[in-house]
Amino acid sequence: DAGITQSPRHKVTETGTPVTLRCHQTENHRYMYWYRQDPGHGLRLIHYSYGVKDTDKGEVSDGYSVSRSKTEDFLLTLESATSSQTSVYFCAISGGLEWPDTQYFGPGTRLTVL
Amino acid sequence: DAKTTQPNSMESNEEEPVHLPCNHSTISGTDYIHWYRQLPSQGPEYVIHGLTSNVNNRMASLAIAEDRKSSTLILHRATLRDAAVYYCIRSTGNQFYFGTGTSLTVIP
């Protein structure tokens, strides 16, 4: 998985609780992304980062926030989890040195919100 | 991405060629077309990408229609290890817009 780890790999939580997912890379890539995968939708971009402290929204960003305080870590936070956020979450990275960029995906985190 | 459509599933016999279609009728002139595949319990992995011309690499070929409204991923000889969900993706800048994917079954 190109030096990408996600933690936790599985999580069950209750509605209304905060949740933070972590993506860690060892590739020193500039770009990092968070996607969610749901049946019938493929993967959809939540947020992405183009550098430390530089982030932008994707197509399904409502209810999510992100932070990137150092190159290797990109955090996704659900401030108050809802059942509609039950999904598999994938982190991806890309180097930003070629056009178009190839994205490399992590193994995923399965989140269940009860 | 509602603008990128793929068949839900396809089957192929082992060692036969496979043609996986994708329609992207609203693609803009600068959008690239990518194909990734996802094996069970893994993240997607890169297969191939192109802009206007047909492309070949060691994994597959990508045939892009002249009007760019459709493309076809070609696996020249399907193996059991090619069984996966194949995603057609439209990219604008660094943003990827995934289709819903085609689940490929390879029959021994």
Side-chain angles (χ1 to χ4, degrees), chain A residues 61-76:
Chain A
S61 60
D62 287 348
Y64 302 94
S65 62
V66 290
S67 65
R68 192 170 178 199
S69 59
K70 45 187 178 178
T71 299
E72 57 265 37
D73 290 327
F74 192 33
L75 304 180
L76 177 71

Side-chain angles (χ1 to χ4, degrees), chain B residues 4 6 13 15 17 24 26 55 57 61 64 66 75 77 82 86-88 93 95 101:
Chain B
T4 306
Q6 304 176 248
N13 294 318
E15 298 188 5
H24 29 76
T26 59
V55 183
N57 67 21
S61 296
I64 301 172
E66 194 168 340
L75 307 180
R77 289 179 70 247
D82 291 324
Y86 287 79
Y87 288 102
C88 175
Q95 294 205 33

Side-chain angles (χ1 to χ4, degrees), chain A residues 1 9 31 33 35 37 40-43 45 48 57-59 90 94 99-103 105-107, chain B residues 1 30 32 34 36 38 41-46 49 87 91-101:
Chain A
D1 289 320
R9 294 292 312 279
Y31 289 86
Y33 311 81
Y35 291 87
Q37 183 175 37
H41 288 279
L43 278 78
L45 182 64
Y48 68 100
K57 296 179 179 180
E59 58 181 314
F90 286 97
S94 67
W99 192 260
D101 249 350
T102 297
Q103 294 190 15
F105 286 80
Chain B
D1 181 19
T30 57
Y32 276 80
H34 306 252
Y36 279 60
Q38 185 176 24
S41 301
Q42 295 187 23
E45 62 178 5
Y46 172 80
H49 74 270
Y87 288 102
S91 72
T92 298
N94 278 79
Q95 294 205 33
F96 277 17
Y97 297 92
F98 281 70
T100 53

Side-chain angles (χ1 to χ4, degrees), chain B residues 44-99:
Chain B
E45 62 178 5
Y46 172 80
V47 177
I48 201 166
H49 74 270
L51 182 62
T52 56
S53 305
N54 294 344
V55 183
N56 300 294
N57 67 21
R58 64 175 181 81
M59 290 182 69
S61 296
L62 176 59
I64 301 172
E66 194 168 340
D67 63 6
R68 300 208 332 123
K69 292 184 177 182
S70 65
S71 62
T72 302
L73 177 70
I74 303 165
L75 307 180
H76 296 287
R77 289 179 70 247
T79 71
L80 297 179
R81 291 179 298 176
D82 291 324
V85 177
Y86 287 79
Y87 288 102
C88 175
I89 300 162
R90 176 181 64 87
S91 72
T92 298
N94 278 79
Q95 294 205 33
F96 277 17
Y97 297 92
F98 281 70

Side-chain angles (χ1 to χ4, degrees), chain A residues 1-7 9 22-27 29 32-33 72 90-94 103-108:
Chain A
D1 289 320
I4 309 168
T5 56
Q6 294 185 229
S7 58
R9 294 292 312 279
R22 179 183 185 233
C23 177
H24 178 78
Q25 59 143 331
T26 58
E27 305 295 323
H29 278 11
M32 299 185 76
Y33 311 81
E72 57 265 37
F90 286 97
C91 174
I93 64 174
S94 67
Q103 294 190 15
Y104 301 93
F105 286 80

